[in-house]
Amino acid sequence: GGGGGSGGGGGGGSNKASSLANLIDRGNEHLAFERIDEGLADLKRACDLVPLSADAAESYGLALAEFGEPRVAIAALKRAAQLQPNEGYEKFMYLGQLLDDGVAAATCTRQGLAIIEFQAAHGDEEAEERMCGACCALVEQLMATADDVEEVADECDALLKRAAEADPNSAEPLQVMASLRNEQGRKEEALEALRQSIAQWRSRRGGRQVDPDEEEEE
């Protein structure tokens, strides 16, 4: 061969776009089959090929968050966030987990939650399920970074209420509520929330054998 490299001049935009899509697909396929080094290499190539591609930056950042070094993952995810700040909640949720700075982490989780809320408001049913975990994650971050938990207690209560509404069968909001009440020194309420969360978890295990993953269509 050898003719493949000549289309990158004037009108090579569509060639570049298709090579980019191929690299991203191939990289993700490698990762799916646990060929981690090959997958990361292809996704890095995609970023180098089109440095302003939000899709490439996001795919590479998410892959690094799963399989790479946290420091490298954070840099890639920040880049993806700059390129596409209002779409793709996953990168913000990962940054929320990976950043050491608790305030910055909470800011990222907030942005991820805002994107999920936008999706839910526009009819994305899966966004409702994601919202529960995102609200709980934000509450835990707010509790971890507050000098005094009472300063964030109202916001935390509102977030946990929203989490419970988003997924009424999840025990997670009650578990986080138990931690919050414990931090507030309201031990009886903490214990009650914990009891309710265990009951919720048991009923979910026993009575509702629905696997949300089976309902996904793609």
Side-chain angles (χ1 to χ4, degrees), residues 82-142:
Q82 285 168 344
L83 288 169
Q84 201 167 42
N86 298 313
E87 285 178 48
Y89 72 93
E90 297 98 334
K91 59 179 171 278
F92 292 104
M93 301 308 292
Y94 269 123
L95 280 168
Q97 291 170 18
L98 291 168
L99 289 171
D100 288 330
D101 176 343
V103 176
T107 301
C108 290
T109 303
R110 252 184 230 288
Q111 179 60 10
L113 179 57
I115 293 169
I116 291 169
E117 284 183 323
F118 180 84
Q119 292 171 333
H122 288 75
D124 181 344
E125 288 174 21
E126 287 173 17
E128 282 292 327
E129 290 175 19
R130 293 194 282 266
M131 197 182 300
C132 177
C135 286
C136 290
L138 183 52
V139 169
E140 288 176 330
Q141 287 167 347
L142 290 172

Side-chain angles (χ1 to χ4, degrees), residues 17-36:
S18 67
S19 337
L20 179 71
N22 288 341
L23 277 171
I24 294 172
D25 288 347
R26 197 172 71 189
N28 285 327
E29 192 175 309
H30 280 312
L31 295 176
F33 287 101
E34 297 186 12
R35 298 188 291 265
I36 308 304

Side-chain angles (χ1 to χ4, degrees), residues 177-178 181-182 186-195:
M177 173 75 77
R181 294 291 177 258
N182 199 41
R186 290 154 65 173
K187 304 292 183 193
E188 281 298 315
E189 291 174 58
L191 203 56
E192 180 54 31
L194 201 56
R195 283 196 196 103

